[in-house]
Amino acid sequence: MAQLAGIVWTLLVALSLVASQPSANKTPVVSYSTFSLVSDGAANDQPSVRALSSPPPRPAGAAGIHRIIVKLKHPHTEGLARAETISRALQASLSAETTVHTAETTVHHLNSLSMDVVDLPLGVDAAATCEAALLASDEIDICEPDAVVATASGRRLRARAAQEPNRFVPDDPIFKEQWGMASIDMPEAWAFLSEQQQETASGADSVGKGTVVGVIDTGVDYTHPDLKDAMWVNQGEIAGNGIDDDGNGFVDDIHGWAWCDGSENPHIGDGDPMDEGGHGTHCAGTIAATANNQEGIAGVAFGRTKIIALKFLCGEDGRGSLADAVHAINYAVAMGATLTSNSWGYLGSTAYRALEEAIREAEEADMLFIAAAGNDDNDNDGPRKGYPASSELDSIISVGAATRNGEKAPFSNYGLESVDVFAPGTRIFSTMPGGKYAAMGGTSMATPFVAGLAALLWSTDPAQSYCDIKHRILSTSEKMDSLEGLCVTGGQINALKAVTCADCKWTPTEEPTAAPTEVPTQEPTTEEPSTP
Ligand SMILES: [Ca+2]
Ligand SMILES: [Ca+2]
Ligand SMILES: [Ca+2]
């Protein structure tokens, strides 16, 4: 192994880095930028709409209502004028109540009744908003909290709720910049899992614990306010006493290990995987940043997974050795990680056996190896491939980067056989060292979305095998014309479908070793969460 230590790997570069924090403290409370006219079936459904517009009394503590129904005294038939009038009327009441909510507000028009349904930012009290709006504006005729999510009676209302899944929109100020979350239906998936957890008798204790993601990268700023609570802690180790208390061969390894320190000198490693470059901290944030803490961003598997910081890339250009990558994988296996997230690699014509052996060992421990496809705009089916993503091991999920428009990012590698699926990978906001946040792009940024989703799925049922999880993620991906032919699934991951799919259990159809890459053949049978 030692002779391999000098092999230098290229970090998949971040394409753009925005140092400044986004406008977290923007003053406007309501934005109508997503104004849209909705004319779904329910709009003409008189009984349903009637129930909506004259809701039963609010149950105590109905804090989950974030929609109001508004009717103007002089209804404007033109949508934009109507939205502006409503915006003006609500602005005063919302401002009076709070000045911190910046989430976008959406207005849906109920055509047949000249009414509008307004989605309020999470945390804004719907009843209080209406009371204030009616006082503040003489243009509003009716303003009432929506009752759809508050009532459990009536089949019609249930059916409607099933058509429009609940969303959980966390209060983190940069969340509105995290377009990737909406793109994979993360708010809907969170809402579904939250409901599921509450309905499971022992849910609070048994669901959402125990998954651990090894982030093999430049380290992690484990003191970051949005990550400190998401860090794995080695319970058998006492910090700073110079003793390997748990006898795993690593002294004072509390949050992971660092195999490099950025110097040219041979480094034996230490228990301080603090991140200087930022790349690993950024990846960790997308996976597990604490959500709904009014700080920064939200991670895909927040509250349900922990991060082990496995630092093997160092220096300004983020380089590391093959041997250290193998060490990091071995450490993750030894400490019981659920999976590893690997936003690194190289473009080459051959795979390294040592690395494949390490991944195979992780596979035997039922771990997934989520890997970035690479940023060379390269066809990984060709003679040169992005490794280790393109290694032929069942437990690897190779991830390409998609743009906000659902297209392949210009830099992203692709491959009908060698890249499994795409995930958001341009202008991704996440955590940076020193309590900061920044946007970066790359298949490096797409990979943690998949790693986070895998951790989330595992948290709902830890008994699942890596094949179960991989099949669930790939078979529920959202097919897109723009991605067809560019990866195995022809699409992008979809968290809502992945958590709700009732009929995408993996069934071995061949000898486990026969197929290097699993081709999903099933369409999910349902896209909606079941209603209790
Ligand atoms: Ca130890
Ligand atoms: Ca110790
Ligand atoms: Ca947060």
Side-chain angles (χ1 to χ4, degrees):
M1 196 76 67
Q3 73 272 21
L4 294 171
I7 295 173
V8 172
W9 292 46
T10 307
L11 168 70
L12 300 177
V13 290
L15 288 186
S16 67
L17 177 63
V18 180
S20 63
Q21 195 162 327
S23 48
N25 297 317
K26 221 165 74 178
T27 324
V29 179
V30 183
S31 154
Y32 280 82
S33 58
T34 54
F35 177 80
S36 60
L37 297 179
V38 175
S39 56
D40 59 11
N44 296 315
D45 188 336
Q46 291 294 334
S48 171
V49 173
R50 194 168 297 126
L52 285 171
S53 56
S54 51
R58 287 203 310 153
I65 301 177
H66 300 296
R67 287 186 141 187
I68 56 175
I69 297 163
V70 178
K71 184 179 184 185
L72 298 174
K73 284 179 180 166
H74 305 288
H76 299 274
T77 50
E78 202 269 307
L80 192 59
R82 199 175 55 250
E84 283 169 354
T85 306
I86 295 172
S87 175
R88 202 165 48 241
L90 291 184
Q91 189 84 42
S93 60
L94 283 176
S95 297
E97 188 189 2
T98 172
T99 56
V100 297
H101 296 289
T102 55
E104 287 189 344
T105 297
T106 314
V107 179
H108 306 284
H109 184 47
L110 299 178
N111 282 324
S112 59
L113 293 177
S114 298
M115 291 184 184
D116 294 276
V117 178
V118 181
D119 293 333
L120 296 172
L122 194 75
V124 173
D125 186 307
T129 299
C130 276
E131 284 170 20
L134 287 166
L135 280 175
S137 169
D138 56 10
E139 294 180 281
I140 295 181
D141 183 21
I142 295 173
C143 185
E144 290 170 326
D146 194 351
V148 171
V149 295
T151 178
S153 63
R155 293 177 61 190
R156 226 167 243 297
L157 292 181
R158 281 190 189 190
R160 184 181 164 81
Q163 284 165 17
E164 294 182 13
N166 277 337
R167 305 180 85 233
F168 173 73
V169 180
D171 63 14
D172 309 81
I174 306 178
F175 182 74
K176 65 187 191 315
E177 306 282 349
Q178 292 183 272
W179 69 267
M181 296 295 178
S183 174
I184 64 169
D185 290 340
M186 210 59 241
E188 290 83 357
W190 285 328
F192 174 81
L193 290 174
S194 170
E195 271 177 33
Q196 186 185 56
Q197 190 165 0
Q198 286 162 13
E199 284 159 15
T200 311
S202 58
D205 295 326
S206 65
V207 177
K209 287 188 178 174
T211 73
V212 176
V213 179
V215 175
I216 302 180
D217 211 288
T218 61
V220 176
D221 177 2
Y222 45 80
T223 65
H224 194 292
D226 237 4
L227 286 173
K228 59 182 168 57
D229 295 333
M231 295 306 300
W232 170 80
V233 175
N234 184 358
Q235 300 294 345
E237 190 69 32
I238 298 165
N241 65 355
I243 297 168
D244 178 16
D245 301 281
D246 65 347
N248 67 347
F250 299 86
V251 175
D252 295 345
D253 52 325
I254 301 300
H255 299 302
W257 194 255
W259 283 271
C260 62
D261 65 358
S263 72
E264 292 297 317
N265 305 325
H267 185 61
I268 55 166
D270 61 48
D272 185 12
M274 178 53 75
D275 180 19
E276 281 108 37
H279 191 268
T281 301
H282 199 279
C283 292
T286 296
I287 296 168
T290 305
N292 221 35
N293 61 344
Q294 299 188 324
E295 164 70 36
I297 61 153
V300 169
F302 73 87
R304 290 172 177 256
T305 200
K306 299 288 186 188
I307 299 290
I308 306 185
L310 302 168
K311 178 176 180 175
F312 88 109
L313 300 168
C314 280
E316 293 216 338
D317 52 354
R319 285 165 182 265
S321 77
L322 171 63
D324 289 342
V326 169
H327 282 313
I329 296 167
N330 288 346
Y331 184 96
V333 173
M335 302 313 287
T338 315
L339 65 138
T340 57
S341 186
N342 300 274
S343 292
W344 51 274
Y346 66 96
L347 191 66
S349 53
T350 52
Y352 286 103
R353 289 271 320 275
L355 183 55
E356 291 199 331
E357 285 309 305
I359 299 171
R360 196 186 308 278
E361 192 179 284
E363 182 175 299
E364 282 164 10
D366 219 358
M367 291 166 62
L368 278 174
F369 188 92
I370 318 294
N375 297 345
D376 315 286
D377 188 23
N378 178 68
D379 183 353
N380 281 356
D381 290 355
R384 286 164 66 78
K385 304 172 191 297
Y387 287 109
S390 302
S391 284
E392 295 194 348
L393 287 161
D394 288 345
S395 59
I396 294 175
I397 298 181
S398 173
V399 184
T403 68
R404 196 168 185 153
N405 297 325
E407 291 166 341
K408 181 184 96 68
F411 54 79
S412 179
N413 290 357
Y414 54 96
L416 182 56
E417 294 178 358
S418 53
V419 174
D420 289 302
V421 71
F422 279 71
T426 56
R427 198 174 156 74
I428 302 301
F429 270 93
S430 189
T431 43
M432 291 293 276
K436 294 176 182 160
Y437 303 87
M440 297 174 84
T443 53
S444 287
M445 281 63 242
T447 299
F449 277 96
V450 181
L453 180 56
L456 199 61
L457 293 171
W458 245 312
S459 78
T460 64
D461 180 5
Q464 294 174 96
S465 71
Y466 77 84
C467 294
D468 293 329
I469 302 290
K470 180 175 179 177
H471 181 71
R472 184 168 277 270
I473 291 172
L474 299 193
S475 66
T476 58
S477 70
E478 189 180 358
K479 297 193 183 354
M480 298 178 175
D481 291 345
S482 49
L483 296 175
E484 192 176 349
L486 298 176
C487 67
V488 173
T489 58
Q492 173 176 279
I493 59 165
N494 185 281
L496 179 62
K497 290 183 187 176
V499 300
T500 56
C501 180
D503 189 29
C504 51
K505 190 159 177 57
W506 177 75
T507 45
T509 53
E510 303 177 61
E511 288 300 309
T513 52
T517 312
E518 217 180 294
V519 182
T521 53
Q522 291 175 300
E523 284 292 335
T525 56
T526 175
E527 298 180 11
E528 284 86 32
S530 58
T531 310

PDB file of all heavy atoms in Angstrom, residues 16-45:
ATOM      1  N   SER A  16     -18.025  27.363  -9.151  1.00  0.00           N
ATOM      2  CA  SER A  16     -18.234  28.750  -8.793  1.00  0.00           C
ATOM      3  C   SER A  16     -18.291  28.867  -7.294  1.00  0.00           C
ATOM      4  O   SER A  16     -18.762  27.989  -6.613  1.00  0.00           O
ATOM      5  CB  SER A  16     -19.529  29.270  -9.398  1.00  0.00           C
ATOM      6  OG  SER A  16     -20.638  28.624  -8.808  1.00  0.00           O
ATOM      7  N   LEU A  17     -17.806  29.948  -6.800  1.00  0.00           N
ATOM      8  CA  LEU A  17     -17.782  30.143  -5.362  1.00  0.00           C
ATOM      9  C   LEU A  17     -18.252  31.556  -5.083  1.00  0.00           C
ATOM     10  O   LEU A  17     -17.640  32.525  -5.508  1.00  0.00           O
ATOM     11  CB  LEU A  17     -16.372  29.940  -4.830  1.00  0.00           C
ATOM     12  CG  LEU A  17     -16.174  30.191  -3.349  1.00  0.00           C
ATOM     13  CD1 LEU A  17     -17.003  29.203  -2.549  1.00  0.00           C
ATOM     14  CD2 LEU A  17     -14.715  30.055  -2.996  1.00  0.00           C
ATOM     15  N   VAL A  18     -19.371  31.647  -4.425  1.00  0.00           N
ATOM     16  CA  VAL A  18     -19.882  32.957  -4.067  1.00  0.00           C
ATOM     17  C   VAL A  18     -19.583  33.172  -2.595  1.00  0.00           C
ATOM     18  O   VAL A  18     -20.123  32.507  -1.745  1.00  0.00           O
ATOM     19  CB  VAL A  18     -21.395  33.046  -4.318  1.00  0.00           C
ATOM     20  CG1 VAL A  18     -21.924  34.414  -3.932  1.00  0.00           C
ATOM     21  CG2 VAL A  18     -21.679  32.771  -5.785  1.00  0.00           C
ATOM     22  N   ALA A  19     -18.701  34.096  -2.339  1.00  0.00           N
ATOM     23  CA  ALA A  19     -18.245  34.271  -0.961  1.00  0.00           C
ATOM     24  C   ALA A  19     -19.286  34.953  -0.096  1.00  0.00           C
ATOM     25  O   ALA A  19     -19.378  34.735   1.090  1.00  0.00           O
ATOM     26  CB  ALA A  19     -16.958  35.083  -0.949  1.00  0.00           C
ATOM     27  N   SER A  20     -20.081  35.769  -0.714  1.00  0.00           N
ATOM     28  CA  SER A  20     -21.008  36.531   0.103  1.00  0.00           C
ATOM     29  C   SER A  20     -22.207  35.693   0.492  1.00  0.00           C
ATOM     30  O   SER A  20     -22.631  34.811  -0.221  1.00  0.00           O
ATOM     31  CB  SER A  20     -21.483  37.757  -0.676  1.00  0.00           C
ATOM     32  OG  SER A  20     -22.193  37.328  -1.808  1.00  0.00           O
ATOM     33  N   GLN A  21     -22.731  36.010   1.642  1.00  0.00           N
ATOM     34  CA  GLN A  21     -23.931  35.337   2.109  1.00  0.00           C
ATOM     35  C   GLN A  21     -25.119  35.906   1.339  1.00  0.00           C
ATOM     36  O   GLN A  21     -25.146  37.087   1.033  1.00  0.00           O
ATOM     37  CB  GLN A  21     -24.086  35.601   3.599  1.00  0.00           C
ATOM     38  CG  GLN A  21     -25.074  34.672   4.260  1.00  0.00           C
ATOM     39  CD  GLN A  21     -24.876  34.657   5.754  1.00  0.00           C
ATOM     40  OE1 GLN A  21     -23.773  34.801   6.233  1.00  0.00           O
ATOM     41  NE2 GLN A  21     -25.952  34.489   6.476  1.00  0.00           N
ATOM     42  N   PRO A  22     -26.097  35.057   1.010  1.00  0.00           N
ATOM     43  CA  PRO A  22     -27.255  35.600   0.300  1.00  0.00           C
ATOM     44  C   PRO A  22     -28.065  36.514   1.213  1.00  0.00           C
ATOM     45  O   PRO A  22     -27.834  36.579   2.410  1.00  0.00           O
ATOM     46  CB  PRO A  22     -28.061  34.352  -0.069  1.00  0.00           C
ATOM     47  CG  PRO A  22     -27.652  33.334   0.921  1.00  0.00           C
ATOM     48  CD  PRO A  22     -26.226  33.647   1.275  1.00  0.00           C
ATOM     49  N   SER A  23     -29.016  37.141   0.599  1.00  0.00           N
ATOM     50  CA  SER A  23     -29.734  38.191   1.303  1.00  0.00           C
ATOM     51  C   SER A  23     -30.658  37.628   2.362  1.00  0.00           C
ATOM     52  O   SER A  23     -31.864  37.562   2.181  1.00  0.00           O
ATOM     53  CB  SER A  23     -30.538  38.999   0.293  1.00  0.00           C
ATOM     54  OG  SER A  23     -31.257  38.088  -0.543  1.00  0.00           O
ATOM     55  N   ALA A  24     -30.070  37.190   3.473  1.00  0.00           N
ATOM     56  CA  ALA A  24     -30.852  36.526   4.512  1.00  0.00           C
ATOM     57  C   ALA A  24     -31.777  37.492   5.225  1.00  0.00           C
ATOM     58  O   ALA A  24     -32.788  37.103   5.772  1.00  0.00           O
ATOM     59  CB  ALA A  24     -29.914  35.867   5.506  1.00  0.00           C
ATOM     60  N   ASN A  25     -31.430  38.742   5.241  1.00  0.00           N
ATOM     61  CA  ASN A  25     -32.215  39.688   6.022  1.00  0.00           C
ATOM     62  C   ASN A  25     -33.040  40.625   5.148  1.00  0.00           C
ATOM     63  O   ASN A  25     -33.318  41.746   5.512  1.00  0.00           O
ATOM     64  CB  ASN A  25     -31.286  40.514   6.921  1.00  0.00           C
ATOM     65  CG  ASN A  25     -30.576  39.622   7.906  1.00  0.00           C
ATOM     66  OD1 ASN A  25     -31.185  38.728   8.480  1.00  0.00           O
ATOM     67  ND2 ASN A  25     -29.280  39.837   8.078  1.00  0.00           N
ATOM     68  N   LYS A  26     -33.374  40.155   3.983  1.00  0.00           N
ATOM     69  CA  LYS A  26     -34.162  40.956   3.076  1.00  0.00           C
ATOM     70  C   LYS A  26     -35.467  41.371   3.747  1.00  0.00           C
ATOM     71  O   LYS A  26     -36.113  40.592   4.403  1.00  0.00           O
ATOM     72  CB  LYS A  26     -34.465  40.142   1.819  1.00  0.00           C
ATOM     73  CG  LYS A  26     -34.351  40.940   0.559  1.00  0.00           C
ATOM     74  CD  LYS A  26     -34.286  40.011  -0.635  1.00  0.00           C
ATOM     75  CE  LYS A  26     -35.644  39.392  -0.933  1.00  0.00           C
ATOM     76  NZ  LYS A  26     -35.592  38.543  -2.114  1.00  0.00           N
ATOM     77  N   THR A  27     -35.841  42.605   3.570  1.00  0.00           N
ATOM     78  CA  THR A  27     -36.997  43.112   4.295  1.00  0.00           C
ATOM     79  C   THR A  27     -38.351  42.642   3.771  1.00  0.00           C
ATOM     80  O   THR A  27     -39.196  42.271   4.548  1.00  0.00           O
ATOM     81  CB  THR A  27     -36.979  44.657   4.303  1.00  0.00           C
ATOM     82  OG1 THR A  27     -35.628  45.059   4.406  1.00  0.00           O
ATOM     83  CG2 THR A  27     -37.771  45.178   5.486  1.00  0.00           C
ATOM     84  N   PRO A  28     -38.580  42.653   2.448  1.00  0.00           N
ATOM     85  CA  PRO A  28     -39.926  42.314   1.993  1.00  0.00           C
ATOM     86  C   PRO A  28     -40.387  40.969   2.541  1.00  0.00           C
ATOM     87  O   PRO A  28     -39.646  40.006   2.559  1.00  0.00           O
ATOM     88  CB  PRO A  28     -39.777  42.251   0.479  1.00  0.00           C
ATOM     89  CG  PRO A  28     -38.608  43.079   0.174  1.00  0.00           C
ATOM     90  CD  PRO A  28     -37.685  42.951   1.343  1.00  0.00           C
ATOM     91  N   VAL A  29     -41.597  40.973   2.990  1.00  0.00           N
ATOM     92  CA  VAL A  29     -42.103  39.779   3.642  1.00  0.00           C
ATOM     93  C   VAL A  29     -42.783  38.851   2.656  1.00  0.00           C
ATOM     94  O   VAL A  29     -42.669  37.651   2.727  1.00  0.00           O
ATOM     95  CB  VAL A  29     -43.074  40.188   4.765  1.00  0.00           C
ATOM     96  CG1 VAL A  29     -43.631  38.964   5.444  1.00  0.00           C
ATOM     97  CG2 VAL A  29     -42.351  41.077   5.750  1.00  0.00           C
ATOM     98  N   VAL A  30     -43.467  39.434   1.721  1.00  0.00           N
ATOM     99  CA  VAL A  30     -44.216  38.621   0.770  1.00  0.00           C
ATOM    100  C   VAL A  30     -43.693  38.867  -0.632  1.00  0.00           C
ATOM    101  O   VAL A  30     -43.521  40.002  -1.043  1.00  0.00           O
ATOM    102  CB  VAL A  30     -45.714  38.978   0.809  1.00  0.00           C
ATOM    103  CG1 VAL A  30     -46.482  38.064  -0.129  1.00  0.00           C
ATOM    104  CG2 VAL A  30     -46.230  38.854   2.228  1.00  0.00           C
ATOM    105  N   SER A  31     -43.411  37.809  -1.312  1.00  0.00           N
ATOM    106  CA  SER A  31     -43.002  37.948  -2.700  1.00  0.00           C
ATOM    107  C   SER A  31     -43.994  37.206  -3.576  1.00  0.00           C
ATOM    108  O   SER A  31     -44.353  36.074  -3.290  1.00  0.00           O
ATOM    109  CB  SER A  31     -41.604  37.383  -2.895  1.00  0.00           C
ATOM    110  OG  SER A  31     -41.426  36.972  -4.225  1.00  0.00           O
ATOM    111  N   TYR A  32     -44.412  37.828  -4.616  1.00  0.00           N
ATOM    112  CA  TYR A  32     -45.375  37.178  -5.495  1.00  0.00           C
ATOM    113  C   TYR A  32     -44.727  36.690  -6.775  1.00  0.00           C
ATOM    114  O   TYR A  32     -45.367  36.553  -7.796  1.00  0.00           O
ATOM    115  CB  TYR A  32     -46.549  38.120  -5.791  1.00  0.00           C
ATOM    116  CG  TYR A  32     -47.520  38.124  -4.657  1.00  0.00           C
ATOM    117  CD1 TYR A  32     -47.292  38.919  -3.546  1.00  0.00           C
ATOM    118  CD2 TYR A  32     -48.622  37.280  -4.660  1.00  0.00           C
ATOM    119  CE1 TYR A  32     -48.154  38.896  -2.487  1.00  0.00           C
ATOM    120  CE2 TYR A  32     -49.496  37.254  -3.597  1.00  0.00           C
ATOM    121  CZ  TYR A  32     -49.256  38.062  -2.509  1.00  0.00           C
ATOM    122  OH  TYR A  32     -50.116  38.036  -1.453  1.00  0.00           O
ATOM    123  N   SER A  33     -43.479  36.445  -6.676  1.00  0.00           N
ATOM    124  CA  SER A  33     -42.775  36.043  -7.889  1.00  0.00           C
ATOM    125  C   SER A  33     -43.252  34.694  -8.403  1.00  0.00           C
ATOM    126  O   SER A  33     -43.031  34.365  -9.547  1.00  0.00           O
ATOM    127  CB  SER A  33     -41.280  35.989  -7.624  1.00  0.00           C
ATOM    128  OG  SER A  33     -41.015  35.095  -6.586  1.00  0.00           O
ATOM    129  N   THR A  34     -43.879  33.915  -7.542  1.00  0.00           N
ATOM    130  CA  THR A  34     -44.351  32.627  -8.022  1.00  0.00           C
ATOM    131  C   THR A  34     -45.852  32.629  -8.250  1.00  0.00           C
ATOM    132  O   THR A  34     -46.488  31.608  -8.260  1.00  0.00           O
ATOM    133  CB  THR A  34     -44.004  31.511  -7.026  1.00  0.00           C
ATOM    134  OG1 THR A  34     -44.519  31.901  -5.741  1.00  0.00           O
ATOM    135  CG2 THR A  34     -42.523  31.290  -6.942  1.00  0.00           C
ATOM    136  N   PHE A  35     -46.367  33.789  -8.443  1.00  0.00           N
ATOM    137  CA  PHE A  35     -47.811  33.883  -8.696  1.00  0.00           C
ATOM    138  C   PHE A  35     -48.202  32.987  -9.858  1.00  0.00           C
ATOM    139  O   PHE A  35     -47.571  32.974 -10.887  1.00  0.00           O
ATOM    140  CB  PHE A  35     -48.183  35.328  -9.033  1.00  0.00           C
ATOM    141  CG  PHE A  35     -49.627  35.486  -9.369  1.00  0.00           C
ATOM    142  CD1 PHE A  35     -50.565  35.568  -8.366  1.00  0.00           C
ATOM    143  CD2 PHE A  35     -50.037  35.522 -10.689  1.00  0.00           C
ATOM    144  CE1 PHE A  35     -51.898  35.708  -8.683  1.00  0.00           C
ATOM    145  CE2 PHE A  35     -51.380  35.658 -10.999  1.00  0.00           C
ATOM    146  CZ  PHE A  35     -52.307  35.755  -9.988  1.00  0.00           C
ATOM    147  N   SER A  36     -49.257  32.245  -9.638  1.00  0.00           N
ATOM    148  CA  SER A  36     -49.712  31.384 -10.722  1.00  0.00           C
ATOM    149  C   SER A  36     -51.199  31.154 -10.602  1.00  0.00           C
ATOM    150  O   SER A  36     -51.761  31.194  -9.524  1.00  0.00           O
ATOM    151  CB  SER A  36     -48.995  30.038 -10.672  1.00  0.00           C
ATOM    152  OG  SER A  36     -49.254  29.403  -9.445  1.00  0.00           O
ATOM    153  N   LEU A  37     -51.806  30.958 -11.719  1.00  0.00           N
ATOM    154  CA  LEU A  37     -53.223  30.631 -11.739  1.00  0.00           C
ATOM    155  C   LEU A  37     -53.366  29.128 -11.768  1.00  0.00           C
ATOM    156  O   LEU A  37     -52.855  28.468 -12.661  1.00  0.00           O
ATOM    157  CB  LEU A  37     -53.889  31.251 -12.970  1.00  0.00           C
ATOM    158  CG  LEU A  37     -53.866  32.771 -13.029  1.00  0.00           C
ATOM    159  CD1 LEU A  37     -54.536  33.240 -14.305  1.00  0.00           C
ATOM    160  CD2 LEU A  37     -54.557  33.367 -11.816  1.00  0.00           C
ATOM    161  N   VAL A  38     -54.051  28.625 -10.778  1.00  0.00           N
ATOM    162  CA  VAL A  38     -54.225  27.193 -10.699  1.00  0.00           C
ATOM    163  C   VAL A  38     -55.669  26.868 -11.022  1.00  0.00           C
ATOM    164  O   VAL A  38     -56.574  27.395 -10.399  1.00  0.00           O
ATOM    165  CB  VAL A  38     -53.873  26.667  -9.297  1.00  0.00           C
ATOM    166  CG1 VAL A  38     -54.185  25.193  -9.192  1.00  0.00           C
ATOM    167  CG2 VAL A  38     -52.409  26.927  -9.011  1.00  0.00           C
ATOM    168  N   SER A  39     -55.876  26.061 -11.986  1.00  0.00           N
ATOM    169  CA  SER A  39     -57.242  25.688 -12.328  1.00  0.00           C
ATOM    170  C   SER A  39     -57.352  24.176 -12.300  1.00  0.00           C
ATOM    171  O   SER A  39     -57.645  23.539 -13.285  1.00  0.00           O
ATOM    172  CB  SER A  39     -57.621  26.218 -13.704  1.00  0.00           C
ATOM    173  OG  SER A  39     -56.703  25.751 -14.660  1.00  0.00           O
ATOM    174  N   ASP A  40     -57.039  23.613 -11.169  1.00  0.00           N
ATOM    175  CA  ASP A  40     -57.148  22.167 -11.057  1.00  0.00           C
ATOM    176  C   ASP A  40     -58.613  21.790 -10.864  1.00  0.00           C
ATOM    177  O   ASP A  40     -59.489  22.627 -10.741  1.00  0.00           O
ATOM    178  CB  ASP A  40     -56.291  21.630  -9.910  1.00  0.00           C
ATOM    179  CG  ASP A  40     -56.668  22.222  -8.574  1.00  0.00           C
ATOM    180  OD1 ASP A  40     -57.719  22.897  -8.497  1.00  0.00           O
ATOM    181  OD2 ASP A  40     -55.929  22.028  -7.618  1.00  0.00           O
ATOM    182  N   GLY A  41     -58.846  20.496 -10.845  1.00  0.00           N
ATOM    183  CA  GLY A  41     -60.213  20.019 -10.754  1.00  0.00           C
ATOM    184  C   GLY A  41     -60.927  20.536  -9.527  1.00  0.00           C
ATOM    185  O   GLY A  41     -62.114  20.816  -9.547  1.00  0.00           O
ATOM    186  N   ALA A  42     -60.188  20.689  -8.456  1.00  0.00           N
ATOM    187  CA  ALA A  42     -60.808  21.071  -7.198  1.00  0.00           C
ATOM    188  C   ALA A  42     -61.412  22.465  -7.261  1.00  0.00           C
ATOM    189  O   ALA A  42     -62.312  22.805  -6.515  1.00  0.00           O
ATOM    190  CB  ALA A  42     -59.789  20.995  -6.080  1.00  0.00           C
ATOM    191  N   ALA A  43     -60.909  23.279  -8.189  1.00  0.00           N
ATOM    192  CA  ALA A  43     -61.384  24.653  -8.240  1.00  0.00           C
ATOM    193  C   ALA A  43     -62.868  24.720  -8.594  1.00  0.00           C
ATOM    194  O   ALA A  43     -63.580  25.606  -8.160  1.00  0.00           O
ATOM    195  CB  ALA A  43     -60.570  25.434  -9.257  1.00  0.00           C
ATOM    196  N   ASN A  44     -63.304  23.755  -9.394  1.00  0.00           N
ATOM    197  CA  ASN A  44     -64.705  23.762  -9.784  1.00  0.00           C
ATOM    198  C   ASN A  44     -65.535  22.796  -8.937  1.00  0.00           C
ATOM    199  O   ASN A  44     -66.667  22.510  -9.244  1.00  0.00           O
ATOM    200  CB  ASN A  44     -64.830  23.392 -11.256  1.00  0.00           C
ATOM    201  CG  ASN A  44     -64.154  24.444 -12.115  1.00  0.00           C
ATOM    202  OD1 ASN A  44     -64.333  25.632 -11.882  1.00  0.00           O
ATOM    203  ND2 ASN A  44     -63.365  24.018 -13.077  1.00  0.00           N
ATOM    204  N   ASP A  45     -64.928  22.324  -7.928  1.00  0.00           N
ATOM    205  CA  ASP A  45     -65.574  21.313  -7.108  1.00  0.00           C
ATOM    206  C   ASP A  45     -66.294  22.018  -5.971  1.00  0.00           C
ATOM    207  O   ASP A  45     -65.715  22.323  -4.932  1.00  0.00           O
ATOM    208  CB  ASP A  45     -64.484  20.376  -6.578  1.00  0.00           C
ATOM    209  CG  ASP A  45     -65.095  19.174  -5.884  1.00  0.00           C
ATOM    210  OD1 ASP A  45     -66.245  19.270  -5.419  1.00  0.00           O
ATOM    211  OD2 ASP A  45     -64.408  18.162  -5.807  1.00  0.00           O
TER     212      ASP A  45
END
